[in-house]
Amino acid sequence: MNPTVGIAVILTVLQAAHCQMIKDLSACLQGQSLRVDCRYENKTSNPLTYEFSITKDNRKHVIHSTISVSENVYRSRANVTMQKNLVCLYLQSFTTSDEGVYMCELKATNDYTGNQIKNITVIKDKLEKCAGFSLLIQNTSWLLLLLLSLPLLQAVDFVSL
């Protein structure tokens, strides 16, 4: 086999094996709870495992996970919801002692390229409220359509004069 063809085949297989990629990690306050949204692109129907952790005082603390064991201090306050292309961590009774660098780690079964990891620094006083924050993220297509239609609406008003 030609070495160039062999390398091309290997690269194609490696790209196909890369099953998911974290696209965005964001955090906001929902009442007294912290919500961390881990958005990803999934190219497979293989089961997805996750881990949310926090690094503070140069030590990693697992908050909620299907990969490893969560720490007791977070176990009763944390829960996770999964939707299509979104894994959300909810940490109840969020205080300044919960500030730190939050990490989302994802791994799809049979994804041989390794875990996908993304970090976000969370400081309570700098967090947005989830209502307005998530509206822009979740309803981007609706908002974009509205912005694109403004010139049409202005043209209709001009014609009616």
Side-chain angles (χ1 to χ4, degrees), residues 21-155:
M21 182 178 82
I22 297 175
K23 292 171 61 175
D24 183 51
L25 186 64
S26 60
C28 60
L29 277 176
Q30 189 167 353
Q32 298 299 315
S33 298
L34 171 69
R35 187 176 97 197
V36 179
D37 293 349
C38 188
R39 296 184 187 286
Y40 62 94
E41 180 181 338
N42 198 356
K43 299 176 183 172
T44 180
S45 59
N46 294 348
L48 183 71
T49 57
Y50 64 84
E51 180 171 289
F52 283 97
S53 61
I54 180 174
T55 301
K56 56 184 188 177
D57 303 323
N58 293 323
R59 187 166 169 251
K60 178 181 171 181
H61 304 273
V62 177
I63 299 171
H64 203 282
S65 179
T66 58
I67 298 173
S68 62
V69 178
S70 305
E71 292 186 21
N72 281 336
V73 71
Y74 296 107
R75 198 171 289 155
S76 64
R77 295 177 30 205
N79 65 341
V80 170
T81 61
M82 294 182 74
Q83 301 169 12
K84 182 179 177 170
N85 297 333
L86 176 66
V87 182
C88 292
L89 167 72
Y90 295 90
L91 183 60
Q92 314 301 323
S93 304
F94 179 74
T95 66
T96 54
S97 65
D98 297 315
E99 294 177 341
V101 178
Y102 281 73
M103 179 182 73
C104 173
E105 182 175 351
L106 300 179
K107 178 162 180 53
T109 305
N110 297 328
D111 183 357
Y112 301 108
T113 59
N115 298 6
Q116 289 286 307
I117 300 172
K118 200 155 192 113
N119 298 320
I120 186 170
T121 301
V122 174
I123 300 171
K124 187 173 183 179
D125 292 339
K126 295 186 178 185
L127 286 173
E128 300 281 336
K129 300 273 186 217
C130 289
F133 187 74
S134 63
L135 175 69
L136 291 177
I137 291 173
Q138 293 175 359
N139 295 323
T140 304
S141 59
W142 177 84
L143 185 62
L144 182 61
L145 182 61
L146 176 67
L147 290 173
L148 291 173
S149 65
L150 283 177
L152 287 172
L153 293 173
Q154 290 173 343

